[in-house]
Amino acid sequence: MNIQTNISLKQYNTFGIDVSAKYLFAFSSSDDLQYLLSDQSFKNQEKLVLGGGSNILFTRNINALVLKNEIGGIELIEETENHFLVKAGAGVVWHDFVIYCIQKGYAGIENLALIPGNVGASPMQNIGAYGVEIKDVFHSLEAIHLSDNKKVTITKSECDFGYRESVFKHSYKNQFVITSVVFQLNKKPEFHFSYGSIKEELDRLQIHDLSINAIAQAVMNIRRSKLPDPKIIGNAGSFFKNPEIDSSFFNELKNSFPQIVGYANDSEMIKVAAGWLIENCGWKGYRAGDAGCHDKQALVLVNFGKASGNEIFDLSEKIIESVKNKFGIELQREVNIY
Ligand code: EPU
């Protein structure tokens, strides 16, 4: 069993924050993980499960055993009249999985191309982009319960998915290691291209015959134009959630700020573009030391090199405060703070 000690986590988080972990154990099968968990010497050790490290901000050294999930493999487990049930290891890179599915003709996740992170983390915050969320294609997952080391299957209804939300951020928090996820993908694609710029990008690419490949291409172009590549500039995608507010409050704000961007959803609530709020408080392109607010998408905080997690966190506090003062809306962080 190869357990590393006092190891830097810089390469294990997309923000590129340089903190150290007391122990790190990388595992490539659920058997390896169960073997480690059966070792009594780690029984009472605090544990932190890490996937692609793309939705976490480290603000301190980690006095815990970091479990780095590297379980691979993609497998077609069942084919029905309308669907493919596809199982992927939690350590598979999400975008590689999307590309694999497109090549095989498995439809449903093409709008989710280029989202950083691994398959195992995708249900945690119900990843979403351009009108699609993972809950739309999620079937079930397998996980190991950290306290009793047993393998369990968790179904869709149990996951309690919401906007960037699931049971794994609440009552199941830090209790399970997700080892694989099963997706129910479609044989007949349902194209989602009404979201903002996708249509424009498809026109620009002169695509007239829609395909899952074309949608993914449009999504990749848009993402590359707005979102920083974590390999070049550290970031964790959207740092905040888009806040949902009452439609009457939204109308009041619209009187004072006619340009404000919001989308009605199924309820009486309006989802407000947090990027717009942040930009209109003057933060877009802001930089203090190596911590900053991305110049093409204000919802994304960035590490230009050597920022500490606390510097990024402090910047997020200032942004929350100024948005609250100007618009009376309290932004919630989407990224997990550790
Ligand atoms: N906007 C601004 N200024 C900005 C950024 C955005 O005015 O700096 C306004 C624009 O009007 C724009 C609107 O906000 O039209 C929406 O912006 P965008 O399409 O970039 O999407 P978003 O709402 O800011 C969400 C997700 C992204 C996802 C995109 C596309 C959240 C928290 N973020 O961002 O997800 O890629 O939609 O679907 O819901 C992520 O979760 O890490 C992530 C990147």
Side-chain angles (χ1 to χ4, degrees):
M1 214 160 43
N2 181 17
I3 295 177
Q4 296 167 277
T5 50
N6 297 322
I7 177 162
S8 167
L9 292 180
K10 189 170 161 64
Q11 57 162 320
Y12 296 115
N13 70 100
T14 59
F15 254 124
I17 304 292
D18 195 4
V19 294
S20 68
K22 188 169 175 193
Y23 303 110
L24 183 129
F25 176 66
F27 56 96
S28 48
S29 72
S30 51
D31 287 349
D32 285 357
L33 174 65
Q34 284 178 302
Y35 183 69
L36 173 99
L37 294 175
S38 64
D39 182 335
Q40 293 304 307
S41 49
F42 288 107
K43 190 161 176 37
N44 296 317
Q45 173 68 53
E46 188 193 338
K47 299 176 186 75
L48 169 69
V49 185
L50 203 58
S54 61
N55 204 41
I56 193 160
L57 177 69
F58 291 124
T59 58
R60 57 193 155 101
N61 288 330
I62 312 299
N63 188 24
L65 167 62
V66 174
L67 299 171
K68 174 79 182 82
N69 199 330
E70 292 179 353
I71 299 176
I74 303 176
E75 192 190 344
L76 176 65
I77 55 172
E78 199 185 322
E79 194 176 332
T80 63
E81 195 186 336
N82 297 316
H83 297 111
F84 299 105
L85 279 194
V86 185
K87 178 176 175 175
V92 172
V93 171
W94 174 261
H95 181 66
D96 294 350
F97 180 59
V98 173
I99 296 300
Y100 178 94
C101 290
I102 290 170
Q103 283 167 353
K104 292 280 187 184
Y106 305 160
I109 52 174
E110 53 283 356
N111 292 49
L112 307 180
L114 271 192
I115 294 186
N118 292 353
V119 164
S122 62
M124 311 268 302
Q125 88 246 31
N126 180 24
I127 59 170
Y130 307 103
V132 174
E133 288 181 331
I134 198 180
K135 73 167 170 46
D136 304 332
V137 291
F138 179 91
H139 178 273
S140 59
L141 61 78
E142 274 184 357
I144 307 289
H145 202 299
L146 279 170
S147 59
D148 64 11
N149 204 1
K150 292 222 169 78
K151 194 176 267 189
V152 293
T153 298
I154 297 179
T155 59
K156 182 170 172 173
S157 59
E158 205 177 339
C159 288
D160 207 9
F161 289 125
Y163 167 56
R164 296 296 190 278
E165 285 290 354
S166 78
V167 72
F168 300 102
K169 282 183 142 185
H170 298 281
S171 56
Y172 287 3
K173 192 171 176 179
N174 297 333
Q175 289 190 45
F176 293 95
V177 180
I178 296 172
T179 51
S180 63
V181 184
V182 178
F183 299 90
Q184 180 174 284
L185 299 165
N186 301 317
K187 287 193 168 169
K188 192 166 170 283
E190 252 179 60
F191 299 117
H192 298 270
F193 56 89
S194 55
Y195 188 98
S197 37
I198 293 202
K199 231 181 162 106
E200 282 163 37
E201 186 58 24
L202 289 168
D203 287 346
R204 204 188 62 80
L205 293 170
Q206 300 194 329
I207 287 171
H208 306 296
D209 289 329
L210 272 183
S211 63
I212 55 177
N213 195 29
I215 300 259
Q217 199 53 56
V219 166
M220 288 191 276
N221 289 356
I222 299 166
R223 289 188 76 97
R224 287 195 176 110
S225 71
K226 281 194 189 178
L227 299 168
D229 178 350
K231 290 195 191 91
I232 301 166
I233 301 176
N235 76 92
S238 301
F239 197 88
F240 304 97
K241 289 192 209 175
N242 285 327
E244 293 177 294
I245 62 170
D246 202 270
S247 55
S248 57
F249 180 30
F250 182 74
N251 291 334
E252 257 174 56
L253 284 171
K254 204 150 174 70
N255 285 334
S256 316
F257 307 99
Q259 308 294 323
I260 191 170
V261 180
Y263 314 91
N265 57 21
D266 11 357
S267 61
E268 278 292 277
M269 306 295 273
I270 306 283
K271 198 185 264 184
V272 184
W276 188 93
L277 301 174
I278 297 168
E279 177 176 351
N280 282 275
C281 286
W283 292 104
K284 198 174 189 171
Y286 173 90
R287 176 171 180 169
D290 272 351
C293 179
H294 189 49
D295 59 355
K296 297 193 186 73
Q297 192 359 324
L299 202 46
V300 178
L301 300 191
V302 292
N303 173 13
F304 287 103
K306 290 203 160 62
S308 69
N310 281 315
E311 286 171 301
I312 308 265
F313 184 81
D314 289 348
L315 173 58
S316 74
E317 290 272 272
K318 288 185 184 137
I319 291 174
I320 290 172
E321 198 185 323
S322 70
V323 168
K324 178 106 209 264
N325 288 340
K326 184 160 182 178
F327 301 106
I329 294 177
E330 188 150 345
L331 293 181
Q332 304 294 325
R333 293 181 184 85
E334 198 227 290
V335 166
N336 299 307
I337 310 294
Y338 195 94

